[in-house]
Amino acid sequence: ERLIDSICAFDYPRELMEIQVLDDSDDETVKLVDERVAYYQEQGYHIECTRREKRQGYKAGALRDAMPQVKGEFIAIFDADFVPEPDFLRKTIPHFAQSDVGVVQTRWEHINQDYSLITRLQALQLNVHFTIEQQGRESGSYMLQFNGTAGVWRKETIEDAGGWHDDTLTEDLDLSMRAQLKGWKIVYLEEVGSPAELPAEMNGFKSQQYRWMKGGAETARKMLPTIWKAGIPLRQKLHATLHLLGSTVFVFVFMLGVLSVPLLFALRALELDARIFSGFIIGTLSIAVVYFIGNVTNPYTNPDRHLLRDILKFLVMFPLFLAMSMGLSFHNTIAVMQGYIGKRSAFVRTPKYAIRSLTDSIKRKKYLSHHFSWTILLEGLLCLYFGFAIFVGMQIGDYSLIIFHILLVIGYGAIFYFSVKHLTYK
């Protein structure tokens, strides 16, 4: 309802807008959608609801099946939890005056960023993606990506690139690559924010992470051969390769964590000085600088800057972000490996609960998962495993990896705790 209301509030000539609500739901939201669509039809809006009997192809399938009904030249796409501003089209459509622009992507903002520690840490990561990664790719003339929502496509671009494919879980990334290989450009507008709701509970967040990580690996498996055969500069091929392989970092983080425990014994047995690893701290510091710029000094993500307060807040949040990323590495490694070996799975939507303020609650919400998976149990065991590593390090007097292991304990412990806690909400 919130999304439909915001679309119909666009400051744009009503006669030039065609609104399609693509709804594969079979729950109570069907009635909510139908009532809202009927209301705006009575107000004279050109709005229709397209509902499919089968969710074949999931989101990509819904977008593909809706294409024959599209009469307009441009297609703006929004996921159900977005609340775009009234001037969205007036700020994006003019950029299509350049005939080679195929996509205009806007920056995600976060309605419920301060709702919980989970949402704050998600915002920390997403802000870097939109202010550093996307902005940097555009500035360097590298290949960008459409983020699946809060962007506008030229209809001709979708058709020229081969349309929406449902053979990956990230149909947005897949189509982005195919479109740019056809010569179309993606314009990224950092200054245009599109508010949306972050997953407010752990299992929904993990579900989203699984889809993004697995879909990224699937797209890499599918598109990298095509990219390397394409007639684009070598630097763009190298950058696109690193871009598509980005989710693989979790595989290495997981391996690094697991192998760090036997490393403690190996260092002692070989009488090696652990200070040889101190150079790697430079990598961590470089990441910290990137996240500081993306979240503290950027005027779009932090418009009400108070330097001392923001620095102190960052000094607390960044280590917690590292810990959470480490704690997610096992879960995300499974997703990445499944993507690379070609194991297919359903598109599981990320549950959202219309959370806006601290007074809102996710309790008693229908979409809460109550399924206890084996991965949750193993995350708990990994927390104990790294707790054992801390004990061993203290016993043998080797404190070289203790901070790393503390972060792993916090990360896996928090992921396990919140996963179980949110499963038990009634």
Side-chain angles (χ1 to χ4, degrees), residues 96-169:
F96 288 100
Q98 294 179 253
S99 61
D100 60 347
V101 171
V103 186
V104 174
Q105 175 67 54
T106 64
R107 176 177 49 84
W108 293 5
E109 294 180 338
H110 321 296
I111 295 172
N112 59 332
Q113 175 174 329
D114 295 324
Y115 180 73
S116 68
L117 178 62
I118 295 174
T119 56
R120 289 190 183 97
L121 295 178
Q122 290 177 72
L124 197 76
Q125 188 274 325
L126 286 170
N127 288 342
V128 166
H129 170 70
F130 283 101
T131 64
I132 304 295
E133 293 176 4
Q134 289 285 64
Q135 187 68 31
R137 288 169 188 151
E138 184 173 53
S139 299
S141 299
Y142 294 112
M143 297 176 73
L144 284 80
Q145 71 181 84
F146 168 62
N147 293 105
T149 176
V152 187
W153 281 84
R154 190 189 297 269
K155 182 182 179 182
E156 180 188 354
T157 302
I158 298 175
E159 295 170 337
D160 184 45
W164 299 99
H165 292 181
D166 61 13
D167 53 355
T168 75
L169 291 177

Side-chain angles (χ1 to χ4, degrees), residues 237-252:
K237 293 180 180 180
L238 291 171
H239 187 276
T241 300
L242 294 174
H243 182 177
L244 292 177
L245 295 178
S247 59
T248 313
V249 68
F250 286 102
V251 178
F252 292 103

Side-chain angles (χ1 to χ4, degrees), residues 256-306:
L256 180 66
V258 171
L259 295 177
S260 68
V261 181
L263 179 64
L264 277 173
F265 297 98
L267 288 172
R268 189 180 189 190
L270 297 173
E271 297 182 348
L272 294 176
D273 188 344
R275 285 179 294 182
I276 63 175
F277 301 122
S278 60
F280 292 111
I281 196 68
I282 298 174
T284 304
L285 292 176
S286 68
I287 297 171
V289 170
V290 168
Y291 275 76
F292 183 83
I293 293 172
N295 287 276
V296 177
T297 66
N298 188 283
Y300 297 114
T301 59
N302 187 22
D304 302 319
R305 279 178 288 180
H306 188 288

Side-chain angles (χ1 to χ4, degrees), residues 303-315:
D304 302 319
R305 279 178 288 180
H306 188 288
L307 189 58
L308 179 60
R309 178 201 64 192
D310 293 337
I311 290 175
L312 292 175
K313 181 180 177 181
F314 181 80
L315 291 175

